[in-house]
């Protein structure tokens, strides 16, 4: 699965996708959409809003809007992931109001067979699904989950929203001379506390995350304009020199 950051495409109106795969190492990312991970085999270490949990076959992870989350799977892992814009939650909210699923659903894995069989069958025909069928699928999956895991009152995640704001800020200002000190100061936090919080939510340092964004954007810029020199693309994306770019790309190779 693609390494995320701020996944803007997932914020499109009426966006919904159903994915299936084996093994998954997805860096910290967020979006104004719902993301649900269903583990069908192996183990996943999942971190959501700074909380970490190990999931196994039959477990479910639910990320609400703007919840920063990341995945690290074992070698034999298999999964389904649904990402859907908020519009697909309308019928759910008409029934449950201001409630949502627990983030980690691990207590009733022996009761999730129907959910997983529905995912498998739907995935086979997903490319043929029209918009009405996709809405029905979303309602069915949410209803099946709610039958097993009682929705609960939404918990305030002040720190999670803060981290989402920070990641969005980096994503739109990576070409500027950002530093841990300047960004922590902008958001009104001490550098030490900011660094600790950032690591807990993203599983990487501020500098590592920033370099990942810059490497990604440099690769995208070169792909868009093949005549652009690497040195210029790197500089336009915030690197002060080719040496700093090479050091960053060695640790954060661009995605193919």
């Amino acid at each position: 699965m693609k390494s995320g950051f701020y996944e803007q495409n997932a914020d499109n109106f009426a966006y919904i996708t159903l994915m299936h795969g084996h093994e998954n190492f997805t860096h910290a990312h967020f979006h104004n959409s719902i993301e649900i991970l269903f583990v069908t085999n192996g183990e996943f270490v999942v971190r959501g809003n700074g909380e970490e949990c190990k999931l196994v076959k039959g477990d479910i992870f639910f990320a609400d809007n703007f919840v920063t989350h990341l995945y690290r799977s074992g070698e034999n892992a298999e999964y389904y992931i649904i990402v859907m814009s908020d519009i697909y939650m309308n019928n759910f909210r008409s029934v449950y109001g201001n409630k949502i699923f627990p983030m980690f659903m691990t207590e009733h894995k022996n009761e999730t067979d129907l959910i997983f069989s529905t995912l498998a069958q739907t995935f086979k025909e997903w490319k043929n699904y029209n918009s009405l069928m996709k809405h029905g699928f979303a309602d069915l999956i949410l209803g099946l989950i709610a039958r097993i895991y009682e929705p609960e009152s939404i918990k305030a995640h002040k720190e999670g929203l803060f981290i989402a704001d920070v990641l969005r800020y980096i994503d739109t200002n990576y070409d500027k001379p950002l530093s841990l000190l300047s960004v922590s100061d902008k958001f009104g936090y001490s550098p030490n506390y900011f660094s600790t919080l950032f690591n807990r939510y993203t599983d990487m340092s501020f500098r590592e995350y920033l370099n990942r964004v810059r490497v990604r954007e440099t690769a995208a810029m070169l792909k868009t304009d093949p005549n652009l020199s690497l040195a210029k693309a790197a500089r336009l994306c915030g690197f002060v020199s080719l040496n700093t770019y090479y050091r960053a790309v060695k640790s954060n190779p661009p995605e193919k």
Side-chain angles (χ1 to χ4, degrees), residues 31-48:
H31 34 65
N32 185 23
S33 295
I34 308 303
E35 183 164 335
I36 315 175
L37 166 71
F38 305 84
V39 181
T40 58
N41 196 46
E43 295 182 351
F44 269 77
V45 174
V46 179
R47 190 175 300 188

Side-chain angles (χ1 to χ4, degrees), residues 94 120 153 240:
S94 70
S153 298
V240 297

Side-chain angles (χ1 to χ4, degrees), residues 47-136:
R47 190 175 300 188
N49 265 347
E51 299 178 40
E52 189 166 288
C53 183
K54 180 181 287 187
L55 305 185
V56 297
K57 181 179 179 180
D59 290 341
I60 302 171
F61 168 73
F62 182 89
D64 201 3
N65 313 85
F66 293 114
V67 168
T68 301
H69 51 286
L70 58 92
Y71 307 131
R72 299 192 305 272
S73 76
E75 292 183 357
N76 298 317
E78 184 179 0
Y79 65 90
Y80 289 94
I81 290 178
I82 299 173
V83 181
M84 57 186 179
S85 60
D86 206 55
I87 191 173
Y88 292 95
M89 297 292 292
N90 285 351
N91 287 337
F92 174 90
R93 293 201 172 100
S94 70
V95 175
Y96 292 100
N98 192 33
K99 290 185 176 182
I100 208 66
F101 295 115
M103 191 158 53
F104 303 109
M105 292 176 273
T106 62
E107 296 178 356
H108 305 289
K109 54 178 63 65
N110 294 327
E111 302 175 36
T112 57
D113 288 351
L114 181 56
I115 296 175
F116 285 82
S117 62
T118 300
L119 291 167
Q121 185 60 40
T122 302
F123 184 76
K124 293 177 182 178
E125 297 293 331
W126 185 250
K127 63 182 180 181
N128 298 319
Y129 267 44
N130 58 34
S131 59
L132 190 61
M133 295 167 73
K134 289 177 179 179
H135 274 275

Side-chain angles (χ1 to χ4, degrees), residues 194-225:
F194 178 92
S195 179
T196 298
L197 203 59
F198 194 92
N199 272 268
R200 177 154 60 86
Y201 274 75
T202 66
D203 200 32
M204 65 182 77
S205 69
F206 170 84
R207 178 56 56 182
E208 182 182 359
Y209 185 91
L210 176 60
N211 281 340
R212 283 185 183 274
V213 175
R214 287 174 170 171
V215 167
R216 178 197 67 187
E217 295 302 323
T218 300
M221 189 174 289
L222 290 171
K223 187 175 181 179
T224 302
D225 185 0

